[in-house]
Amino acid sequence: MEKGRYLTMADRCSLFLVNRERNTLTTSFQHGLKHAIEIPINKGIAGRTVTEAKTLNIPDAYLDPTFNEETDKATGYHTKSILSAPIFNKQGEVIGVTQMINKHNGAEFSKFDTNIMQVFNVFCSLSLENARMYNESVDLGSQLRSFFSVSLSLGRSEDSKRIMSDIIRNARRAVGAKRSIIYRLDENSEFLEVYVSDGIKNPPSEDLKSFVGTCVRRSEGIISEGLKCAVPIKASDSSIIGAVEMDEKIEDLFTERDLLLLQSFASFASVTLENQKLKDRTKEKAIPTDLSLPLGIKENILS
């Protein structure tokens, strides 16, 4: 970005990135500003650059109806000329915007400047795509280690509480949440009792009108304003036997991708809960072997 600012002789520059949900633009670099800027994807000149998918050379920002004056008002800076260029990925989608602000000496950005930024943004695209792939590979590695850890727990432990603790701890780490809870649906399907939790002490049980109860009633994963997410735990016959809830993601907000990952962990939880139910039923139906039985009958039963 600094090289682009130098080549176009601009006073300031910003790099906006499109978020995963494609509804906002956030600066990951902003020369001349202390804090990042976040705007709706359909607002301002940066938003117009995304929606029109073309480079915009604005000689006087205040004469452009899409220009947002709020940043200037907040900083005391006066924006005049803007060169705003889209960054495309390999699929032809706009994944970001570079903006050069106020060419030196009050001049307008030239056709040469526009050509420079269009070429420059090809390199920006390669850098951003490489960074994305690297981050995804790191995330995938962490998720696979979590799945492997849970698989080991399923195979080596008979204690369902311990297994569920391993599941919820690994799920929380993989998703990147601060708190996580596994609930078990009571026999009358009236409320969700806490089975195990991680990152929170003694959480209360919840009724079916609560956030986590809503995912049970709908039989689907849900997200609340990106701050918490929950998925139902389904048995092999598709009946719901519990739910998993995650609260407060450490970085960013919860996304549909997090729901998919959480559903994978919920599958492990389902196996464990079903196995525990089977063990409980087996104990209930166990043949009594007390000495009060007549000896011959006892021997026949045990044989």
Side-chain angles (χ1 to χ4, degrees), residues 152-294:
L152 287 177
S153 295
L154 288 171
R156 71 188 175 200
S157 177
E158 292 291 324
D159 185 347
S160 62
K161 285 271 187 179
R162 180 177 175 181
I163 294 172
M164 292 294 254
S165 293
D166 284 345
I167 290 172
I168 199 66
R169 183 175 62 256
N170 281 282
R172 183 181 65 79
R173 289 174 179 173
V175 173
K178 288 187 177 180
R179 294 177 293 275
S180 55
I181 306 169
I182 290 181
Y183 296 91
R184 183 166 60 176
L185 192 61
D186 82 308
E187 292 183 357
N188 298 318
S189 300
E190 293 180 352
F191 69 93
L192 291 155
E193 58 183 359
V194 176
Y195 196 66
V196 292
S197 63
D198 190 58
I200 180 173
K201 290 184 178 180
N202 304 318
S205 296
E206 299 284 358
D207 60 34
L208 297 185
K209 295 180 181 179
S210 64
F211 169 74
V212 68
T214 301
C215 92
V216 170
R217 288 187 287 106
R218 293 182 183 176
S219 188
E220 64 181 10
I222 58 174
I223 301 175
S224 175
E225 299 180 347
L227 301 177
K228 58 172 63 176
C229 65
V231 298
I233 300 173
K234 297 182 180 181
S236 54
D237 62 357
S238 296
S239 64
I240 297 178
I241 56 177
V244 186
E245 180 182 334
M246 296 280 164
D247 294 337
E248 199 173 344
K249 192 163 182 176
I250 297 171
E251 296 180 5
D252 205 5
L253 300 174
F254 290 111
T255 65
E256 292 295 328
R257 185 179 176 186
D258 294 319
L259 278 186
L260 291 174
L261 182 58
L262 200 53
Q263 285 169 351
S264 299
F265 282 100
S267 298
F268 286 117
S270 172
V271 172
T272 305
L273 285 178
E274 285 202 285
N275 285 343
Q276 185 59 47
K277 273 191 173 182
L278 185 60
K279 289 176 184 177
D280 292 343
R281 288 172 184 169
T282 302
K283 287 179 182 178
E284 290 173 3
K285 296 179 180 179
I287 300 297
T289 58
D290 60 284
L291 294 177
S292 62
L293 285 172

Side-chain angles (χ1 to χ4, degrees), residues 22-53:
R22 299 193 67 81
N23 55 16
T24 62
L25 283 163
T26 306
T27 54
S28 65
F29 177 83
Q30 55 282 331
H31 175 89
L33 293 175
K34 292 182 179 180
H35 305 290
I37 302 169
E38 182 176 288
I39 60 173
I41 200 167
N42 60 348
K43 298 293 183 181
I45 290 174
R48 183 180 153 202
T49 305
V50 175
T51 54
E52 295 185 9

